[in-house]
Amino acid sequence: MIKVALGLALLLSVAGPIAAVAEDETRPDPGRSSWSLGVAVGNFDSDTSESDDPHLNEAAFSLLASFQPWRFLALDAELLHIETARELDEFNELTAFGATGVSLTARLQIPLPEDISIYLRAGSSWLKLDDESQVRDSPMATDRTQPTFGGGISGRYWFVEYVNYGQADDLYLEQLRAGMIWRF
């Protein structure tokens, strides 16, 4: 949790100066296509449907690139790194999860006043799990393709979103994250 807090503090510390330097003329016309780059830090949550099993939380970091061909649609690519979390259950069986991956999604968005949008995203993610990823002492497959969906809210230079990466073996994979966007 400390890594997530430090990452958010770093993002917020650069948000003010970036926003102050940017001029209105650099903002893309909402009627034409545009590109954007982003960074995000979040809390990645991996847990099972059993309430007594370990509940893993770890920091996740992302680099994002987006192409917006229309003001209601964007196509996103993401590089994702999830730090490895480990926890023993009451039977002393280890559950651990960590991964690196790539995600491709489409984002349907509704523009609101004051440069704010709400959106839903859906697509697919390819995850390469760490060698030590396991559920109750059973190793997990190292490569997997997962359905990905989520939703969030974005402003001119920021976004906050929830992303669900599906289920890997008995683990449900989801993330709550915040980030910065640079549009051009």
Side-chain angles (χ1 to χ4, degrees):
M1 196 58 153
I2 292 174
K3 291 179 185 177
V4 172
L6 290 173
L8 285 173
L10 178 65
L11 284 174
L12 292 175
S13 68
V14 299
I18 289 171
V21 170
E23 299 178 19
D24 283 341
E25 293 82 33
T26 63
R27 185 170 143 230
D29 180 2
R32 62 173 242 247
S33 63
S34 64
W35 291 88
S36 62
L37 295 174
V39 294
V41 62
N43 182 51
F44 199 88
D45 181 39
S46 309
D47 60 6
T48 67
S49 59
E50 303 294 325
S51 61
D52 57 347
D53 281 344
H55 189 81
L56 305 175
N57 287 290
E58 194 52 81
F61 307 94
S62 299
L63 295 174
L64 301 111
S66 296
F67 173 65
Q68 185 174 332
W70 184 45
R71 63 186 258 168
F72 299 104
L73 174 70
L75 306 172
D76 301 323
E78 169 188 7
L79 295 175
L80 170 69
H81 175 74
I82 306 157
E83 296 284 320
T84 303
R86 297 167 199 81
E87 191 171 321
L88 294 172
D89 66 9
E90 70 271 11
F91 302 110
N92 212 28
E93 294 177 323
L94 179 66
T95 296
F97 185 81
T100 301
V102 176
S103 178
L104 299 172
T105 58
R107 188 169 18 108
L108 297 173
Q109 52 197 18
I110 299 172
L112 301 172
E114 305 296 325
D115 288 329
I116 293 178
S117 294
I118 56 174
Y119 59 87
L120 297 174
R121 82 169 55 247
S124 182
S125 296
W126 174 80
L127 298 175
K128 177 162 180 44
L129 278 54
D130 291 348
D131 292 336
E132 54 191 285
S133 291
Q134 55 188 296
V135 178
R136 295 183 209 95
D137 285 336
S138 298
M140 300 173 72
T142 57
D143 295 339
R144 54 181 67 239
T145 301
Q146 302 285 121
T148 303
F149 63 89
I153 184 169
S154 67
R156 190 164 173 193
Y157 300 105
W158 57 269
F159 68 94
V160 176
E161 70 180 352
Y162 164 82
V163 182
N164 185 304
Y165 294 91
Q167 187 175 354
D169 293 350
D170 287 341
L171 290 179
Y172 295 95
L173 310 174
E174 52 194 7
Q175 180 181 186
L176 184 61
R177 65 184 176 189
M180 297 284 305
I181 307 167
W182 293 271
R183 302 179 196 274
F184 49 98

